[in-house]
Amino acid sequence: AVVSTQSTGTLKLTDFGIRSLRRALGDNCLKSGQALKEAELWRAPEFLGMPKYTGSVYGDVYSMGIILQELICEDYPYPNCELATEDILDKVPNGFRPKINHKHAERQFIAMVEGCWEHHPHQRISLQEAKATLNRLNPDRRISLTDRMLKLMDKYTDQLETLVEQRTRQLEEEKERADKLLYTMLPRQVAEKLKIGQSVAAEAFDCASIYFSDIVGFTDMCGKSTPFQVVDVLNDLYTMFDELVDKFDCYKVETIGDAYMVVSGVPERNGTRHSYEIAAMSLRFLHAIETFRVRHRPGERLGIRIGLHSGGCAAGVVGMKMPRYCLFGDTVNTASRMESTGLPSKIHTSRDFYLQLQNHGSEFITEERGTLEIKGKGQMTTYFLVGRQTPQPDPRQDFGNLLLPAQLSHHPTSKSPSLSPGSWPRTLEPTSHSNVLENGNSITPVVCVTASTPVTSEDGFDPMGRL
């Protein structure tokens, strides 16, 4: 038979029947013996071995079931069957039929196809029943071709909108990841200009504070460690520093080997606060390095030298491949000299940075180091940043559950009464760094006092003002 398509989009079978004419033409001679055997796969079992043009309506229903199986499985009859054609034809009269996976079609449709394969012809479904089942499973069959095309277009549009929404969401997620990576390499405002195609001109800054540090004994450590261990140490240390930098108004410029460079006041100006931010960050770094442990050498502790300097500088983006935001000027060189001439676990500052720090009162504690010969700079007076003042508590306030060392040793689970002006520990010793002195019922800022035995509370509060 031949399948033809009408102008309405309906499929019809033609060139079938006319048995006497086809028998007279003798078209069997046009087919080989194997082709004739394979043609028997579509014949009902009751007609196997009979003349080709013998058949009935019930046989046509069986043949229709085989054709529907081909449509469902998109394969020849009896798919995934390893038997030869002759063996299949021998088994068909005994009830052997093609197997259909229920994933390929609806259960009602598969049940209809299997109904076409009943062994007894009169038990097979009729053509009217098959047509009714197909109409029920395909309600759009009676719709005109134009309406069917419009419905398919609407369905495709809905699917396309969902697909576009998914792709748009994926694109936005990728863009966020790319932006996040870009913001780790360049300042946000600089990155935004580069994204829209604008050039980023170099910019001058009247005053900024720059931090430089390196690891004490780094060369010796490299000689005793593998390259992978050195990379792990630097990654662990500077990942910790990166997290701390985000807590301050500072911008990490770069790391070169074991050198770590940070600036405040660039690229965002913050008035005179740049020295405050860099000083607070440096003290936090020194505190964090005390608890840092080297993975492959847990018994050793790392030390760092820190150098600070304030002054004018220029900043801009350098390069097109892997562009970097770089600082230029004598301020950068001087900050590097402060670091290289510093001492382990010390914060070495220039006089310019020291003067900038005075804008914030006496909150930070500094010590004059003296006059040094600095390469390329000559004689310079430098300082050490040694600590930070903290607000002192008023002893007249009720400190609740504050425990003194003596009380802790005798009553480990008891709670101390409130402190009064006369109940301070007698182990206080005056030093050069503080600002409280008991005087009756008042606190007069004169000198620093430091307790030789810590005084703490369950709330983590230290009445001596230490962090």
Side-chain angles (χ1 to χ4, degrees), residues 231-246 252 255 260 292:
V231 171
D232 288 339
V233 171
L234 293 178
N235 183 60
D236 293 343
L237 177 63
Y238 290 150
T239 297
M240 179 181 69
F241 281 4
D242 291 345
E243 294 175 355
L244 293 176
V245 168
D246 292 338
K252 175 189 172 182
T255 56
Y260 195 84
F292 181 81

Side-chain angles (χ1 to χ4, degrees), residues 33-221:
Q34 181 64 27
L36 288 174
K37 290 181 181 180
E38 292 179 352
E40 295 288 301
L41 295 175
W42 282 266
R43 301 197 73 186
E46 64 267 21
F47 296 115
L48 291 177
M50 298 180 65
K52 179 179 178 182
Y53 298 109
T54 303
S56 66
V57 174
Y58 303 111
D60 291 343
V61 171
Y62 180 92
S63 300
M64 182 184 70
I66 297 294
I67 294 174
L68 292 176
Q69 173 259 301
E70 293 182 86
L71 295 175
I72 294 173
C73 300
E74 298 181 356
D75 202 347
Y76 290 106
Y78 299 90
N80 301 322
C81 182
E82 298 179 355
L83 297 176
T85 302
E86 295 83 354
D87 297 333
I88 294 176
L89 294 177
D90 291 340
K91 290 177 174 290
V92 167
N94 297 325
F96 184 72
R97 299 292 185 270
K99 294 182 179 180
I100 302 177
N101 193 325
H102 290 277
K103 296 181 180 179
H104 292 158
E106 296 183 18
R107 291 184 177 273
Q108 292 180 338
F109 189 78
I110 295 177
M112 181 198 72
V113 174
E114 292 175 346
C116 298
W117 295 340
E118 290 291 342
H119 184 72
H120 298 286
H122 293 283
Q123 293 179 353
R124 297 170 190 161
I125 65 173
S126 65
L127 293 175
Q128 290 74 17
E129 291 175 337
K131 183 178 180 180
T133 302
L134 291 174
N135 289 338
R136 187 167 59 253
L137 297 176
N138 184 22
D140 295 337
R141 182 176 178 276
R142 298 180 180 275
I143 301 176
S144 66
L145 177 61
T146 303
D147 292 338
R148 189 179 304 174
M149 290 179 62
L150 291 175
K151 187 171 183 178
L152 290 175
M153 290 177 63
D154 290 340
K155 183 179 180 180
Y156 175 75
T157 301
D158 294 339
Q159 294 176 347
L160 186 61
E161 289 178 354
T162 303
L163 182 62
V164 169
E165 183 180 353
Q166 293 175 351
R167 294 291 186 269
T168 302
R169 184 165 56 252
Q170 293 175 359
L171 179 62
E172 291 176 351
E173 293 174 354
E174 287 295 331
K175 182 177 179 296
E176 289 178 0
R177 283 194 288 266
D179 289 346
K180 185 177 180 180
L181 177 61
L182 183 61
Y183 295 151
T184 61
M185 300 174 60
L186 297 170
R188 180 179 291 269
Q189 57 270 39
V190 174
E192 293 295 339
K193 290 183 180 180
L194 292 177
K195 285 167 57 178
I196 61 178
Q198 293 183 1
S199 60
V200 181
E203 189 175 2
F205 296 85
D206 295 334
C207 194
S209 293
I210 298 178
Y211 165 103
F212 264 102
S213 70
D214 72 350
I215 299 174
V216 178
F218 180 72
T219 304
D220 181 65
M221 183 185 70

Side-chain angles (χ1 to χ4, degrees), residues 212-449:
F212 264 102
S213 70
D214 72 350
I215 299 174
V216 178
F218 180 72
T219 304
D220 181 65
M221 183 185 70
C222 291
K224 299 178 181 178
S225 307
T226 66
F228 293 103
Q229 290 172 338
V230 173
V231 171
D232 288 339
V233 171
L234 293 178
N235 183 60
D236 293 343
L237 177 63
Y238 290 150
T239 297
M240 179 181 69
F241 281 4
D242 291 345
E243 294 175 355
L244 293 176
V245 168
D246 292 338
K247 302 180 183 297
F248 300 90
D249 185 11
C250 299
Y251 174 73
K252 175 189 172 182
V253 180
E254 60 183 347
T255 56
I256 303 176
D258 65 322
Y260 195 84
M261 181 180 179
V262 182
V263 65
S264 182
V266 177
E268 293 185 0
R269 294 174 173 82
N270 53 8
T272 61
R273 191 167 179 81
H274 49 83
S275 59
Y276 179 96
E277 297 292 333
I278 286 290
M281 184 197 72
S282 301
L283 292 171
R284 187 69 184 87
F285 278 10
L286 279 185
H287 177 73
I289 200 70
E290 293 178 358
T291 59
F292 181 81
R293 293 293 181 270
V294 179
R295 276 191 271 174
H296 67 284
R297 303 172 75 176
E300 297 185 14
R301 292 189 178 183
L302 286 183
I304 59 173
R305 278 188 302 266
I306 299 176
L308 309 179
H309 179 60
S310 296
C313 64
V317 178
V318 177
M320 295 299 294
K321 279 191 174 182
M322 295 187 66
R324 302 300 299 173
Y325 188 73
C326 300
L327 302 184
F328 304 92
D330 186 63
T331 301
V332 179
N333 298 330
T334 304
S336 178
R337 298 300 182 196
M338 292 297 102
E339 176 271 316
S340 60
T341 57
L343 298 177
S345 301
K346 293 284 188 178
I347 303 174
H348 193 207
T349 77
S350 64
R351 180 171 177 79
D352 291 333
F353 183 86
Y354 168 79
L355 294 176
Q356 286 289 329
L357 208 55
Q358 302 312 303
N359 295 326
H360 306 286
S362 58
E363 181 171 346
F364 292 95
I365 305 170
T366 58
E367 291 179 353
E368 182 177 339
R369 184 183 185 184
T371 302
L372 297 179
E373 180 69 27
I374 304 298
K375 182 179 178 181
K377 304 299 294 182
Q379 297 289 325
M380 290 185 65
T381 302
T382 61
Y383 299 79
F384 284 126
L385 176 62
V386 297
R388 184 175 180 180
Q389 301 280 13
T390 55
Q392 302 301 316
D394 188 344
R396 292 170 294 183
Q397 296 177 352
D398 184 4
F399 292 109
N401 296 331
L402 185 64
L403 296 180
L404 300 180
Q407 294 170 327
L408 285 171
S409 61
H410 292 89
H411 305 283
T413 60
S414 64
K415 297 185 180 296
S416 168
S418 302
L419 288 182
S420 63
S423 61
W424 288 93
R426 296 307 175 191
T427 57
L428 299 180
E429 299 174 358
T431 69
S432 59
H433 312 305
S434 190
N435 56 359
V436 295
L437 184 66
E438 183 181 350
N439 182 16
N441 293 328
S442 64
I443 300 299
T444 305
V446 179
V447 296
C448 175
V449 290

